[in-house]
Amino acid sequence: MNKTSAKLILSHSQVSEMVMKLYKLTPSVIRDLPSYDDQNFHLSVTEGGDYILKIINIEDSKNPALIQVQTHAMTILHQNGLPVQTVLPTTTGQLMSLEDIESFPMMEHPELSVLQRDEFKWSMSNVPMLEEYIYLMDGDPIQEVMKSVIQGYKTSVVPARASFHLGINHGDLNDLNVLVQPDENDGYKISGILDFGGMSSGHCVYDLAITIMYLMIEHPKPIEVGGPVLAGWESVLPLNKAERHTLYLLVLSRFCQSLVYARYSVLLQPENEEYLMITSKRGFYILRHLWELGQTQVERVWFQSADQYCDRK
């Protein structure tokens, strides 16, 4: 079975039965949450409290070590004061449980092979692989911009990667995975960081580029996002010369990845199109706008804004 059919579709009665069996909790309200490859639920239980239940897809369930790493990372971050979720053990003390479930699989798309699905990763290091999927943009003028970004990535980013800082990346710090709530200063503070399924060991600057890209989607003036995010990042880990010079291309590369992947995913899950195309609603416009402004202009805005923000602090 490939990942086009690996997402499970459980009924609410199946969810209720599973939660009773594993946690001795009785769901009073079960609400479906959108997702790519897994099935997620928001549960309110009669015993009191609210929980998120994640039904991991069949393929990822074959690699329990991957899930254990995610759980361990969340635990360490929580213990160090970061607002991340914690895992509720089962009644037998397990942090996860492998169950045999009869489910309705997602519709397969016969034209997309197993190899294609397995190769299509979110990792920034695989940006050149997007060339194989550019055909999904046939007829759209943005295709030429994407081709230029991919070429820029190969000629400017790839040779510079040896100089990038290395670390553990979250991999998907987007607007749906970072929760905020009002603070006492009429602003907002981060109240939750979700979805550690994209974790990887790699180049730290990729997480910065990913965060800037997704926050642009929500901002009325997208180009202004880079400065404050960059200032916060550099207060902990200053960028080196190579990272500063490639940040613009990395942000554009993530736009390309997200937009192509969304169009690809809709072929696999047409019934989930509204969620899958969230980024695309403004993403095409922002990508083109950043490309037309050019690297020099965009970097000037980001770096000058970051410097001014630090001066105010």
Side-chain angles (χ1 to χ4, degrees), residues 9-249:
I9 300 298
L10 272 63
S11 67
H12 285 193
S13 61
Q14 287 176 302
V15 169
S16 184
E17 181 180 347
M18 181 186 301
V19 172
M20 280 288 296
K21 171 188 174 184
L22 296 176
Y23 302 99
K24 295 294 187 277
L25 295 173
T26 309
S28 56
V29 178
I30 301 176
R31 184 165 63 91
D32 297 87
L33 298 175
S35 68
Y36 276 94
D37 295 322
D38 302 324
Q39 192 179 18
N40 301 321
F41 299 94
H42 172 210
L43 309 178
S44 297
V45 299
T46 57
E47 291 81 3
D50 291 271
Y51 300 89
I52 300 297
L53 176 68
K54 176 179 283 288
I55 310 297
I56 296 172
N57 68 77
I58 295 172
E59 286 301 301
D60 287 345
S61 294
K62 295 176 181 178
N63 185 5
L66 177 65
I67 306 169
Q68 290 172 346
V69 168
Q70 296 174 35
T71 301
H72 183 65
M74 290 188 294
T75 301
I76 294 296
L77 293 174
H78 182 77
Q79 291 174 347
N80 283 274
L82 290 175
V84 301
Q85 65 269 48
T86 55
V87 178
L88 178 69
T90 67
T91 55
T92 59
Q94 297 174 291
L95 297 183
M96 58 183 176
S97 180
L98 186 62
E99 301 291 318
D100 290 325
I101 303 172
E102 183 175 345
S103 167
F104 298 100
M106 296 297 290
M107 182 182 298
E108 292 194 40
H109 198 286
E111 298 176 3
L112 300 174
S113 69
V114 179
L115 180 61
Q116 285 178 316
R117 179 57 171 163
D118 289 343
E119 282 185 347
F120 203 97
K121 305 296 184 181
W122 280 89
S123 171
M124 297 280 283
S125 61
N126 287 334
V127 167
M129 190 181 297
L130 284 176
E131 287 180 305
E132 299 177 26
Y133 297 87
I134 286 294
Y135 71 90
L136 293 169
M137 297 297 170
D138 285 351
D140 193 318
I142 202 67
Q143 188 182 68
E144 292 305 312
V145 173
M146 290 183 171
K147 289 180 180 178
S148 297
V149 171
I150 293 170
Q151 184 59 33
Y153 183 95
K154 291 192 291 186
T155 58
S156 297
V157 176
V158 172
R161 288 189 309 202
S163 301
F164 291 174
H165 290 96
L166 295 174
I168 303 298
N169 290 341
H170 177 280
D172 200 14
L173 287 170
N174 65 56
D175 48 308
L176 298 179
N177 289 337
V178 180
L179 308 181
V180 298
Q181 64 183 26
D183 62 18
E184 60 277 5
N185 299 316
D186 295 326
Y188 292 88
K189 63 180 179 181
I190 294 176
S191 59
I193 301 173
L194 309 178
D195 193 357
F196 287 76
M199 284 178 53
S200 66
S201 174
H203 304 106
C204 297
V205 69
Y206 289 172
D207 254 359
L208 172 61
I210 290 168
T211 305
I212 290 175
M213 175 255 150
Y214 282 112
L215 292 183
M216 282 183 165
I217 298 295
E218 299 297 327
H219 200 282
K221 297 180 179 179
I223 194 174
E224 295 182 4
V225 168
V229 177
L230 179 59
W233 179 277
E234 292 203 296
S235 69
V236 177
L237 182 63
L239 299 183
N240 59 37
K241 184 178 179 180
E243 292 166 334
R244 290 174 72 89
H245 180 67
T246 56
L247 182 60
Y248 168 80
L249 276 170

Side-chain angles (χ1 to χ4, degrees), residues 242-277:
E243 292 166 334
R244 290 174 72 89
H245 180 67
T246 56
L247 182 60
Y248 168 80
L249 276 170
L250 289 174
V251 171
L252 267 60
S253 296
R254 184 59 170 195
F255 267 111
C256 293
Q257 276 190 319
S258 183
L259 296 173
V260 171
Y261 186 67
R263 189 162 291 186
Y264 175 86
S265 297
V266 168
L267 294 177
L268 307 179
Q269 303 177 33
E271 72 289 337
N272 201 20
E273 181 174 359
E274 182 178 357
Y275 172 72
L276 296 174
M277 296 297 286

Side-chain angles (χ1 to χ4, degrees), residues 216 222-228 230-231 234 244-249 290 292-309:
M216 282 183 165
I223 194 174
E224 295 182 4
V225 168
L230 179 59
E234 292 203 296
R244 290 174 72 89
H245 180 67
T246 56
L247 182 60
Y248 168 80
L249 276 170
L290 293 175
E292 291 175 347
L293 285 175
Q295 181 169 351
T296 301
Q297 175 63 18
V298 173
E299 286 182 342
R300 182 182 299 114
V301 173
W302 287 352
F303 295 135
Q304 289 182 355
S305 174
D307 292 341
Q308 292 171 0
Y309 192 88

